[in-house]
Amino acid sequence: MKYKAVIFDLDGVICFTDEYHYLAWKELADELNIPFDRTINERLRGVSRMDSLEIILEKYTGPALSDEEKERLATKKNDIYRKSLEKMSPADLSDEVKETLNALRNKGLKLAIGSSSKNTKFILQRIGLEGFFDAISDGTNITRSKPDPEVFLKAAEFVLEEPKDCLVIEDAEAGIDAAVAGGFDGAGIGSAAKYSKATYHLSSFKDILKYV
Ligand code: B16
Ligand code: MG
């Protein structure tokens, strides 16, 4: 086998919480009279909560905001977002993802999560994957956000494998950049499917089985 472990991004790869992120940021931006649309939203893919807020505030024209106010805004967005996550269930995990994960596991590969989200464990619990992965590296154990490779390097460390032996699956260009920076091969899916820096270009989740 070409790899010993597969590291999955969460939002946009295993499940689709991106629309919930968008709607929560949109509600906050509307309240602050900040222009925000799906084009700007694409820049938030894989980016941490506070870095996402800074991108949204690029178009903010109101009075200066202190760090405490920014924290309050980020928390407000997260509260709205969490309400949507509460509505998720195992039905939000597709058969294709479930079957592919099981097939990869049956091949003897270690499976890990590498996500920027601080809500990772809650999301995995909602979709019925609590306890499924061999390791979880997420927004709670990193200090630098993608495109920094920290989240994937930690995931590789947690499964006791070298980056060259791990394949990263990502829907964000920032995530593929992070994989490349850390010495990993990266498979792009969704928004990153055509990204030139990706080692593999996936048209569907089950395509992972062709490359491991
Ligand atoms: P949270 P991923 C990322 O998840 C999202 O793509 C990004 O939009 C979000 O800002 C980030 O998680 C942080 O999420 O606010 O829940 O900590 O794609 O890295 O799985
Ligand atoms: Mg993602």
Side-chain angles (χ1 to χ4, degrees):
M1 229 164 357
K2 197 152 187 250
Y3 301 100
K4 293 180 179 162
V6 184
I7 302 172
F8 300 88
D9 173 58
L10 183 61
D11 169 36
V13 172
I14 298 287
C15 61
F16 299 91
T17 44
D18 32 7
E19 183 66 11
Y20 299 145
H21 277 296
Y22 171 72
L23 293 172
W25 282 126
K26 178 74 181 149
E27 197 173 321
L28 190 83
D30 285 352
E31 268 179 38
L32 295 166
N33 288 317
I34 302 172
F36 178 63
D37 58 21
R38 287 177 192 275
T39 310
I40 302 172
N41 188 55
E42 274 302 305
R43 292 175 58 205
L44 312 185
R45 224 168 252 284
V47 172
S48 74
R49 197 180 305 163
M50 291 311 287
D51 289 351
S52 298
L53 178 65
E54 290 298 340
I55 291 171
I56 287 165
L57 290 176
E58 285 171 10
K59 290 198 181 320
Y60 173 70
T61 52
L65 295 168
S66 64
D67 286 349
E68 290 72 30
E69 282 163 323
K70 287 182 186 175
E71 282 290 345
R72 193 185 56 75
L73 292 174
T75 301
K76 189 168 181 183
K77 178 265 169 178
N78 194 52
D79 290 345
I80 302 167
Y81 176 61
R82 293 271 300 203
K83 286 217 171 69
S84 303
L85 295 183
E86 275 163 23
K87 286 181 235 146
M88 291 182 85
S89 75
D92 289 295
L93 182 67
S94 75
D95 287 343
E96 180 183 357
V97 169
K98 216 182 315 179
E99 284 159 17
T100 305
L101 288 174
N102 286 327
L104 292 167
R105 162 123 321 141
N106 290 339
K107 281 176 182 282
L109 284 149
K110 293 179 187 172
L111 307 179
I113 290 286
S115 166
S116 303
S117 177
K118 292 184 171 166
N119 293 298
T120 294
K121 290 192 177 130
F122 183 58
I123 296 168
L124 291 175
Q125 181 211 318
R126 295 305 311 162
I127 62 177
L129 284 180
E130 189 181 24
F132 177 83
F133 291 94
D134 298 301
I136 294 171
S137 173
D138 64 16
T140 64
N141 63 256
I142 55 169
T143 51
R144 296 177 303 278
S145 184
K146 300 167 189 174
D148 189 284
E150 187 181 11
V151 73
F152 297 136
L153 291 173
K154 284 265 162 57
E157 195 183 308
F158 293 162
V159 293
L160 307 172
E161 299 296 351
E162 298 288 322
K164 66 172 177 44
D165 294 320
C166 304
L167 175 64
V168 168
I169 318 292
E170 257 293 346
D171 73 309
E173 293 190 358
I176 294 292
D177 289 343
V180 172
F184 299 85
D185 281 354
I189 192 164
S191 291
K194 296 203 168 83
Y195 190 40
S196 59
K197 290 192 191 164
T199 317
Y200 310 110
H201 306 270
L202 309 179
S203 49
S204 166
F205 192 86
K206 63 179 183 316
D207 283 355
I208 299 168
L209 292 165
K210 296 184 197 164
Y211 302 116
V212 292

